Amino acid sequence: MAAWGITCDGKPVFVGLSAAAAESTDAWHDFLTDLAGRGLRPPLLLISDGAPGLISAAEQVFPRSLRQRCVIHKCRNVLSKVSAGDQAEVKAAYWDIFDTSSLGEQAEPGQPLVEWVQRRIDAFADKWGARYPAAIKSLLADRASLTTYLRFPPEHHKRIRHSNFIERTFGETRRRVKVIGRFPGETSCVSLVWAVLDRAARGWRGFTMTSKGLRTLQDLRRALLSPPTKLQPAATSATDSTPETAAA
């Protein structure tokens, strides 16, 4: 199990690594709880695949954080339920859902943009639902988390809507350990995987942070993670409860 993140300065960081026998809710919960115990504050956005154990644990440990479902993994899920002859057309239509280039400067992050893309999901479901109901059911099952990234700065959209980066680092890890065959123990396994991921992290490309983008992130953080305290209404006295017209 591994996690990486992006700081408010736009710098990528390797957050944590742990050995586990399965991607169960308990295993992911222990992993995330350990990260929180070592000082990780609730992130604004959690990006993951559709693993039920990870999603459940993330919602328990970081309940106020937004969650983004990897759109690439979801595309694979949808296409796996589509016949080979239609896969190219369905794939193109799927990615058209998330193409906001036609909006130009009007593609401001926020709920209106989320709703605009959600309407495109509805149109896609209407077109293909009769022919491939299982594929559409898979798409609609987690539809809300497919558009969470649209609340973030536009310059980050194409990189925060999927989890491909960490998948690529896992591929590098598998390539390195393939020649070993078997590790003598858990410590040696984690040490090698950590070394591979740590080395890969040094070459990670960060995010562009603009003043406008930072304001968007700050607004999201205040709204989700640090909401203003609600003021208690002042106690109403007996004289205050008398209507103004009564004094006339």
Side-chain angles (χ1 to χ4, degrees):
M1 295 178 172
W4 67 281
I6 296 291
T7 68
C8 292
D9 296 327
K11 297 179 180 179
V13 291
F14 185 31
V15 179
L17 178 70
S18 178
E23 290 192 82
S24 65
T25 299
D26 289 340
W28 276 114
H29 189 279
D30 288 344
F31 176 72
L32 297 177
T33 301
D34 179 65
L35 294 181
R38 290 192 285 114
L40 177 66
R41 294 188 300 167
L44 276 177
L45 182 66
L46 293 166
I47 309 167
S48 73
D49 57 16
L54 172 55
I55 293 173
S56 177
E59 291 176 345
Q60 293 176 39
V61 180
F62 300 118
R64 290 186 293 172
S65 299
L66 296 171
R67 181 173 64 85
Q68 172 63 39
R69 175 75 157 84
C70 176
V71 295
I72 296 178
H73 279 86
K74 177 54 69 176
C75 182
R76 295 170 184 166
N77 296 151
V78 171
L79 292 180
S80 68
K81 299 171 177 60
V82 174
S83 64
D86 286 334
Q87 284 191 359
E89 185 178 357
V90 173
K91 182 178 181 179
Y94 174 87
W95 287 113
D96 283 343
I97 294 174
F98 306 100
D99 183 8
T100 59
S101 59
S102 62
L103 295 177
E105 296 182 355
Q106 296 179 350
E108 289 292 328
Q111 190 59 30
L113 185 58
V114 170
E115 293 172 355
W116 187 79
V117 175
Q118 286 291 334
R119 288 193 293 270
R120 282 190 161 192
I121 293 178
D122 290 332
F124 179 91
D126 291 341
K127 179 178 180 180
W128 297 102
R131 192 180 305 181
Y132 300 111
I136 299 306
K137 181 179 179 181
S138 174
L139 174 65
L140 300 181
D142 206 15
R143 62 180 295 172
S145 62
L146 289 173
T147 56
T148 308
Y149 74 96
L150 296 168
R151 299 178 64 178
F152 288 76
E155 58 269 22
H156 299 168
H157 286 180
K158 290 187 177 180
R159 298 186 63 193
I160 64 173
R161 65 184 185 179
H162 58 74
S163 58
N164 262 21
F165 187 86
I166 200 166
E167 297 292 341
R168 290 199 299 270
T169 58
F170 286 158
E172 177 65 14
T173 301
R174 287 190 289 268
R175 187 182 70 82
R176 294 295 185 94
V177 302
K178 186 177 181 180
V179 297
I180 296 177
R182 177 178 297 176
F183 288 102
E186 179 182 309
T187 301
S188 61
C189 174
V190 174
S191 297
L192 178 60
V193 174
W194 177 275
V196 172
L197 295 182
D198 183 59
R199 181 178 179 180
R202 298 173 191 173
W204 288 351
R205 182 166 56 91
F207 280 16
T208 299
M209 289 292 182
T210 63
S211 57
K212 184 177 181 180
L214 284 172
R215 285 195 299 271
T216 299
L217 296 177
Q218 290 168 358
D219 290 343
L220 279 172
R221 177 167 290 279
R222 281 194 295 267
L224 297 172
L225 307 179
S226 303
T229 304
K230 293 184 178 179
L231 298 178
Q232 295 295 328
T236 304
S237 64
T239 55
D240 291 339
S241 63
T242 305
E244 292 183 357
T245 55

